[in-house]
Amino acid sequence: MKLLIWDIDGTLTYTPGLGRRAMERAFEEEFGVSGALEGVPTAGGLDVEIVGQVFRRYRLPESRLQSYFDRYLRILEELLASPHAGGPTPGVVEALERLSARKDVIQVLGTGNIEPGAWIKLRRYRLDRFFETGGFGEKPGPRWTVIRTAIDRAREHYGIGDLRPEDIYVIGDTPRDIEAGRHLGLRTVSVATGPFDAGELARHRPDHLLPNFASPWEHIFFP
Ligand SMILES: [Mg+2]
């Protein structure tokens, strides 16, 4: 059995700047703070930490965190419903279809998105049909904690036993995905469909590097 853990933004989907815009608009509408994410890196980060940084910077009350995220989710849904540049990354739908047809593969999410945000993004492009569970960016901590949770939930949800680390793949578009996978001794697969180009990703030495899933990928999971 092989377990594939997929990142969302820049890996499964490509929605340039849209999530960030939704977060910023929510800060504007909820607190009257504009340009809230200026200088805050979001790629590969956890939603709760990105938003937490802004809360601390502007000394916003933690008690409003839930209402902030509720507003963010409404705006995210609205922005995704309007015309925008973006969609599944090249080749990824076909890859997911072929992988999900296999009996020896389980696919889960490993994303910095809060869970409802993750499903909103996936539903928009009908990618939610490939996933049932995963790890999400809801608790502060290093990104590998999200991957750890994804593995635990996969085992529980699908009733599988211990997997060998070399049969678990962390698929992502940022150096943070590589670091998270390596920290847990897992296989790392980088795709250059996000903000980092192949050269930059190569410097972080993933086990495998793909321009996108339109190029041959089978050898990675089924050597
Ligand atoms: Mg990403």
Side-chain angles (χ1 to χ4, degrees):
M1 190 61 78
K2 289 174 193 288
L3 176 64
L4 276 53
I5 305 173
W6 291 85
D7 167 59
I8 296 180
D9 298 301
T11 302
L12 290 172
T13 66
Y14 174 70
T15 49
L18 193 135
R20 196 180 170 94
R21 210 154 67 238
M23 277 190 179
E24 290 213 307
R25 244 184 67 191
F27 276 114
E28 256 165 51
E29 292 183 13
E30 192 76 13
F31 301 108
V33 172
S34 53
L37 291 182
E38 236 161 82
V40 179
T42 51
L46 273 50
D47 278 3
V48 74
E49 292 199 320
I50 295 162
V51 165
Q53 275 187 57
V54 178
F55 265 69
R56 287 191 295 278
R57 182 192 286 176
Y58 291 94
R59 298 175 191 281
L60 305 172
E62 294 276 324
S63 58
R64 299 269 299 274
L65 202 58
Q66 189 56 51
S67 67
Y68 170 81
F69 272 122
D70 290 345
R71 193 181 285 268
Y72 158 73
L73 293 170
R74 283 199 300 276
I75 295 170
L76 181 66
E77 196 132 38
E78 186 188 313
L79 290 181
L80 280 166
S82 349
H84 62 279
T89 57
V92 88
V93 174
E94 203 203 329
L96 291 170
E97 275 168 355
R98 287 173 48 202
L99 287 161
S100 65
R102 296 185 64 115
K103 297 259 180 288
D104 57 347
V105 170
I106 286 174
Q107 306 191 86
V108 298
L109 300 165
T111 170
N113 281 277
I114 53 169
E115 180 162 6
W119 294 119
I120 286 172
K121 288 179 181 178
L122 294 180
R123 268 200 307 272
R124 173 62 181 82
Y125 307 116
R126 295 192 58 246
L127 299 179
D128 56 309
R129 62 196 154 118
F130 298 111
F131 300 97
E132 293 175 354
T133 188
F136 303 90
E138 273 152 356
K139 268 188 276 173
R143 194 176 172 99
W144 63 262
T145 59
V146 169
I147 303 301
R148 183 77 258 172
T149 304
I151 297 169
D152 292 344
R153 293 208 179 133
R155 292 186 51 196
E156 194 180 326
H157 188 82
Y158 294 101
I160 49 175
D162 271 326
L163 291 158
R164 298 183 306 169
E166 59 266 35
D167 289 330
I168 305 177
Y169 298 80
V170 176
I171 309 164
D173 68 307
T174 72
R176 286 190 189 178
D177 301 279
I178 302 170
E179 284 154 20
R182 185 178 297 130
H183 179 86
L184 296 170
L186 313 174
R187 293 270 191 268
T188 53
V189 182
S190 274
V191 266
T193 41
F196 297 90
D197 65 30
E200 214 163 340
L201 291 168
R203 278 196 287 283
H204 295 268
R205 304 195 159 277
D207 295 311
H208 303 277
L209 178 57
L210 287 173
N212 54 50
F213 275 87
S215 39
W217 50 264
E218 293 82 351
H219 63 281
I220 296 174
F221 308 115
F222 316 108

